[in-house]
Amino acid sequence: MKLSVVAIDKDGVVRIRADGPITSADLLADARNPLENVIGANWSAMRILLDLSKVQYIDSSAIGWLINSHKELKANGGRIVVHSVQPAVLQVLKLLKIEKVVAIAEDESRGRELLTGDGR
């Protein structure tokens, strides 16, 4: 997996794109959160809009990473919404009911609404 910052918007929303499969090889147990590597030590206080349109596969480690990232963000005043999820990945997320923990939006526009509070 490669994470890259697309933009940091005027309203403080950090748009990040993930490319490639997300697997245990990307998420070592004793390593820093990949979000910290991309946006810095204060990542857990940010509002993150994560684009998964280029992610074709996730494993259980990736799901754990999403849940743990959500928990850390929530504890520190941040928030994450994933959007534009590929059908195969979305099927796995829905099967595990991940949307009950991590907000999932069909596209970036809806994701922004959920992230900024305009969509509830």
Side-chain angles (χ1 to χ4, degrees):
M1 160 187 68
K2 177 184 173 194
L3 292 178
S4 55
V5 175
V6 174
I8 300 175
D9 297 334
K10 290 179 183 178
D11 61 0
V13 171
V14 180
R15 292 186 286 143
I16 297 176
R17 178 180 304 121
D19 289 304
I22 307 174
T23 67
S24 59
D26 302 308
L27 308 162
L28 304 175
D30 57 349
R32 293 187 303 189
N33 188 305
L35 292 169
E36 182 177 350
N37 294 335
V38 176
I39 54 179
N42 196 34
W43 72 271
S44 62
M46 297 179 180
R47 294 183 299 156
I48 300 169
L49 194 54
L50 181 60
D51 179 353
L52 295 184
S53 64
K54 303 284 186 194
V55 175
Q56 305 83 13
Y57 174 80
I58 60 170
D59 67 8
S60 59
S61 294
I63 292 166
W65 168 66
L66 280 174
I67 292 169
N68 288 332
S69 294
H70 163 77
K71 286 180 184 177
E72 192 154 346
L73 283 153
K74 186 176 181 180
N76 292 292
R79 187 142 187 237
I80 190 167
V81 174
V82 298
H83 71 87
S84 306
V85 184
Q86 291 288 323
V89 173
L90 185 60
Q91 182 179 7
V92 171
L93 295 177
K94 288 194 176 263
L95 177 71
L96 298 172
K97 300 186 186 312
I98 300 303
E99 74 277 6
K100 291 187 180 222
V101 178
V102 179
I104 301 172
E106 57 273 3
D107 57 31
E108 184 177 332
S109 177
R110 179 65 178 143
R112 177 173 291 284
E113 290 173 1
L114 291 173
L115 192 63
T116 60
D118 298 337
R120 291 204 171 196

